[in-house]
Amino acid sequence: MSEDLSLKEMQKTWHGSQKAYAIGFIVSLLLTAASFTIVGLKLLPPSIAIYVVSALAFCQAVIQLIYFLHLGQEDRPQWESLVFYFMILVLLIIVIGSLWVMYDLNARMMPHMNMHMN
Amino acid sequence: MTKPLLTESTTPYAPDPHQDIFSKTTLGFWMYLMTDCILFASLFLVYAVLKNSTFGGPGSQDLFSLDLAFAETLILLCSSVTCGLAVLSAVQNKKKHVVLWLLATLLLGGTFLTLELQEFAHFIKEGNSWERSAFLSAFFALVSTHGLHITFGLLWGIIMIAQIMHFGIVTMTFRRLTIFSMFWHFLDLIWIFIFTYVYLIGVL
């Protein structure tokens, strides 16, 4: 069973299509242009723009995962999706956990905080 | 008399179809990309923590050019699409098109790398190298790790073109072309976050 597929079978499993690349390209282009315009022309105050731009990046990542990397389009059992979701879990634990610890440390190291500590 | 536990007719599920070399290779490479993702997440994290540790040096507002970063983003996005079209041509057995799309990918990737290196050279010439502050160390670590991936991607692309020209589109070259395209799309994905978190939010 551990044999290679024939070229035809391999080509058949490829999920890309001209339409998918066109959609991915146009949507990515629009999202990039939108975030560039928001920041470049200062359309929003910085505190709001951070969230808007992050949301646009997140959307673009999802679009590229679906249309360029074909996430979730493989045959069952979907090992690649499983690995992906596990990676997201590990990534969130590392990122949120570390940020929490580092900012907490930072706050405790502030000179003016010492008064409250004592 | 014991009955066989599982026979072909009684199994409710079909056997796992991912037993061939092609599926194993793509899954293995995908796992590598996912661990690479965690590497980049750690570098992003370091950058986020050290972003304001400028040690009296220039901050992100003073350094970054939004136009340059936007141009780099568009170039990399285009190269991602041309790389996808190369695989699509391979699916249709058009050898000449595969080589042409790969050449376009390499050309765009090379332009991207040149722009990035020019930016680095500009920073270093003004005395703002990675030695200047913790913020700049984190910036160079993050962005040059991505640049290093692009460099290896370009080398891989050159070898890929040579193999396609020499062997044509066969199982081996098709498999390698597929994982090359995964690598290249992945680098574009990482760059979106560099563009957003380093450059866009940096100049806010």
Side-chain angles (χ1 to χ4, degrees):
Chain A
M1 195 57 193
S2 186
E3 277 161 27
D4 212 350
L5 299 175
S6 72
L7 183 62
K8 270 215 176 103
E9 286 171 311
M10 279 161 66
Q11 286 168 332
K12 239 175 146 181
T13 60
W14 185 249
H15 298 285
S17 68
Q18 237 153 10
K19 200 180 144 200
Y21 285 112
I23 295 173
F25 178 65
I26 292 168
V27 176
S28 298
L29 204 63
L30 290 176
L31 289 170
T32 307
S35 44
F36 176 70
T37 318
I38 288 169
V39 176
L41 300 179
K42 300 195 190 316
L43 294 179
L44 292 169
S47 53
I48 301 170
I50 287 177
Y51 293 107
V52 175
V53 168
S54 300
L56 290 174
F58 178 76
C59 290
Q60 195 174 338
V62 171
I63 289 289
Q64 293 208 1
L65 276 169
I66 293 171
Y67 288 101
F68 292 170
L69 283 163
H70 320 299
L71 181 72
Q73 291 160 42
E74 45 175 341
D75 295 332
R76 278 166 193 281
Q78 300 181 314
W79 297 118
E80 292 184 12
S81 307
L82 191 72
V83 176
F84 174 77
Y85 293 121
F86 181 65
M87 180 277 288
I88 293 289
L89 178 72
V90 173
L91 192 145
L92 286 178
I93 292 171
I94 293 175
V95 170
I96 295 173
S98 304
L99 280 179
W100 181 17
V101 170
M102 292 311 290
Y103 280 108
D104 195 49
L105 268 177
N106 218 6
R108 282 171 195 276
M109 296 293 270
M110 291 292 210
H112 63 87
M113 290 289 284
N114 286 344
M115 287 177 282
H116 306 287
M117 303 288 290
N118 301 332
Chain B
M1 288 287 277
T2 49
K3 271 201 300 183
L5 280 173
L6 290 172
T7 54
E8 203 64 38
S9 54
T10 53
T11 35
Y13 305 106
D16 186 355
H18 303 288
Q19 297 290 323
D20 57 280
I21 296 172
F22 181 62
S23 304
K24 283 180 185 172
T25 307
T26 38
L27 177 60
F29 195 76
W30 179 257
M31 282 186 186
Y32 153 68
L33 289 182
M34 295 300 100
T35 53
D36 224 21
C37 221
I38 292 173
L39 166 78
F40 276 109
S42 318
L43 289 170
F44 271 107
L45 193 59
V46 172
Y47 180 79
V49 170
L50 297 177
K51 191 180 170 298
N52 296 320
S53 312
T54 52
F55 197 56
S60 55
Q61 279 103 335
D62 315 314
L63 281 178
F64 299 149
S65 150
L66 207 54
D67 296 333
L68 180 72
F70 185 55
E72 284 178 302
T73 309
L74 294 187
I75 290 168
L76 208 57
L77 177 63
C78 289
S79 85
S80 193
V81 174
T82 54
C83 180
L85 292 176
V87 185
L88 212 58
S89 309
V91 170
Q92 295 156 352
N93 288 314
K94 292 177 184 159
K95 184 177 152 187
K96 210 183 251 171
H97 287 73
V98 178
V99 174
L100 284 176
W101 284 124
L102 276 180
L103 275 175
T105 309
L106 292 187
L107 210 66
L108 289 163
T111 315
F112 171 85
L113 198 65
T114 314
L115 287 175
E116 191 169 284
L117 289 176
Q118 272 178 352
E119 188 193 24
F120 285 177
H122 178 67
F123 287 172
I124 292 167
K125 214 172 78 186
E126 294 192 330
N128 299 320
S129 74
W130 48 88
E131 293 175 334
R132 184 70 190 83
S133 63
F135 153 65
L136 278 163
S137 299
F139 165 77
F140 274 103
L142 171 60
V143 181
S144 60
T145 302
H146 180 267
L148 203 62
H149 278 77
I150 293 280
T151 313
F152 281 107
L154 291 177
L155 281 175
W156 190 356
I158 294 167
I159 296 166
M160 211 57 250
I161 290 177
Q163 289 191 340
I164 297 264
M165 300 235 281
H166 189 259
F167 297 109
I169 299 161
V170 293
T171 47
M172 180 261 286
T173 47
F174 185 79
R175 190 170 63 224
R176 290 178 185 170
L177 186 65
T178 312
I179 55 175
F180 170 69
S181 82
M182 281 162 69
F183 185 65
W184 202 256
H185 290 317
F186 171 75
L187 289 182
D188 187 30
L189 194 63
I190 297 292
W191 180 260
I192 299 168
F193 289 101
I194 294 184
F195 175 62
T196 304
Y197 286 103
V198 176
Y199 291 96
L200 287 179
I201 292 180
V203 299
L204 271 178

Short mmCIF file of all heavy atoms in Angstrom, two decimals, chain A residues 13-18 20-21 67 70 73, chain B residues 88 91:
data_model
loop_
_atom_site.label_atom_id
_atom_site.label_comp_id
_atom_site.label_asym_id
_atom_site.label_seq_id
_atom_site.Cartn_x
_atom_site.Cartn_y
_atom_site.Cartn_z
N THR A 13 -5.44 14.93 -7.09
CA THR A 13 -5.62 15.32 -5.69
C THR A 13 -5.33 16.81 -5.47
O THR A 13 -5.61 17.34 -4.41
CB THR A 13 -4.71 14.52 -4.74
OG1 THR A 13 -3.35 14.77 -5.12
CG2 THR A 13 -4.99 13.04 -4.81
N TRP A 14 -4.73 17.47 -6.44
CA TRP A 14 -4.41 18.90 -6.27
C TRP A 14 -5.68 19.74 -6.32
O TRP A 14 -6.49 19.60 -7.24
CB TRP A 14 -3.42 19.32 -7.36
CG TRP A 14 -2.96 20.72 -7.18
CD1 TRP A 14 -3.25 21.79 -7.95
CD2 TRP A 14 -2.13 21.21 -6.12
NE1 TRP A 14 -2.65 22.90 -7.45
CE2 TRP A 14 -1.96 22.58 -6.33
CE3 TRP A 14 -1.51 20.62 -5.01
CZ2 TRP A 14 -1.21 23.38 -5.47
CZ3 TRP A 14 -0.77 21.41 -4.17
CH2 TRP A 14 -0.61 22.77 -4.41
N HIS A 15 -5.85 20.60 -5.31
CA HIS A 15 -7.13 21.31 -5.19
C HIS A 15 -7.15 22.68 -5.86
O HIS A 15 -8.18 23.32 -5.87
CB HIS A 15 -7.50 21.46 -3.72
CG HIS A 15 -7.69 20.15 -3.04
ND1 HIS A 15 -8.80 19.37 -3.24
CD2 HIS A 15 -6.91 19.47 -2.18
CE1 HIS A 15 -8.69 18.27 -2.53
NE2 HIS A 15 -7.56 18.29 -1.88
N GLY A 16 -5.99 23.15 -6.32
CA GLY A 16 -5.95 24.50 -6.88
C GLY A 16 -6.70 24.60 -8.19
O GLY A 16 -6.82 23.64 -8.94
N SER A 17 -7.26 25.79 -8.43
CA SER A 17 -7.85 26.05 -9.73
C SER A 17 -7.62 27.52 -10.04
O SER A 17 -7.32 28.30 -9.14
CB SER A 17 -9.36 25.75 -9.72
OG SER A 17 -10.00 26.70 -8.90
N GLN A 18 -7.75 27.85 -11.33
CA GLN A 18 -7.51 29.24 -11.73
C GLN A 18 -8.45 30.18 -10.98
O GLN A 18 -8.06 31.26 -10.55
CB GLN A 18 -7.74 29.37 -13.24
CG GLN A 18 -6.53 29.93 -13.94
CD GLN A 18 -6.46 29.49 -15.38
OE1 GLN A 18 -7.41 28.91 -15.92
NE2 GLN A 18 -5.35 29.75 -16.03
N ALA A 20 -9.82 29.71 -8.01
CA ALA A 20 -9.43 29.85 -6.59
C ALA A 20 -8.28 30.84 -6.45
O ALA A 20 -8.30 31.70 -5.55
CB ALA A 20 -9.02 28.50 -6.03
N TYR A 21 -7.29 30.76 -7.35
CA TYR A 21 -6.16 31.69 -7.25
C TYR A 21 -6.60 33.11 -7.55
O TYR A 21 -6.13 34.06 -6.92
CB TYR A 21 -5.02 31.26 -8.18
CG TYR A 21 -4.26 30.09 -7.64
CD1 TYR A 21 -4.32 28.85 -8.25
CD2 TYR A 21 -3.51 30.21 -6.48
CE1 TYR A 21 -3.65 27.76 -7.73
CE2 TYR A 21 -2.84 29.14 -5.95
CZ TYR A 21 -2.90 27.91 -6.57
OH TYR A 21 -2.25 26.84 -6.06
N TYR A 67 -7.68 29.46 -0.05
CA TYR A 67 -7.54 29.50 -1.51
C TYR A 67 -6.14 29.16 -2.02
O TYR A 67 -6.00 28.72 -3.16
CB TYR A 67 -7.99 30.86 -2.04
CG TYR A 67 -9.49 31.04 -1.95
CD1 TYR A 67 -10.06 31.79 -0.95
CD2 TYR A 67 -10.32 30.40 -2.87
CE1 TYR A 67 -11.43 31.93 -0.86
CE2 TYR A 67 -11.69 30.53 -2.78
CZ TYR A 67 -12.24 31.29 -1.78
OH TYR A 67 -13.60 31.41 -1.69
N HIS A 70 -5.20 25.48 0.51
CA HIS A 70 -6.24 24.45 0.42
C HIS A 70 -6.52 23.77 1.76
O HIS A 70 -6.69 22.56 1.82
CB HIS A 70 -5.89 23.40 -0.63
CG HIS A 70 -5.27 23.97 -1.85
ND1 HIS A 70 -5.92 24.87 -2.65
CD2 HIS A 70 -4.04 23.81 -2.38
CE1 HIS A 70 -5.13 25.22 -3.64
NE2 HIS A 70 -3.98 24.61 -3.50
N GLN A 73 -9.54 20.96 2.58
CA GLN A 73 -10.13 20.43 1.35
C GLN A 73 -9.63 19.02 1.02
O GLN A 73 -9.97 18.47 -0.01
CB GLN A 73 -9.81 21.38 0.18
CG GLN A 73 -10.56 22.70 0.31
CD GLN A 73 -9.93 23.80 -0.51
OE1 GLN A 73 -9.51 23.59 -1.64
NE2 GLN A 73 -9.82 24.99 0.06
N LEU B 88 -0.45 24.67 -11.16
CA LEU B 88 -1.63 24.46 -11.99
C LEU B 88 -1.23 24.05 -13.41
O LEU B 88 -1.85 23.17 -14.01
CB LEU B 88 -2.45 25.75 -12.02
CG LEU B 88 -3.95 25.60 -12.13
CD1 LEU B 88 -4.48 24.77 -10.98
CD2 LEU B 88 -4.62 26.96 -12.14
N VAL B 91 -0.26 20.50 -13.37
CA VAL B 91 -1.43 19.62 -13.36
C VAL B 91 -1.90 19.38 -14.80
O VAL B 91 -2.33 18.30 -15.17
CB VAL B 91 -2.56 20.23 -12.50
CG1 VAL B 91 -3.86 19.46 -12.68
CG2 VAL B 91 -2.16 20.23 -11.03
#
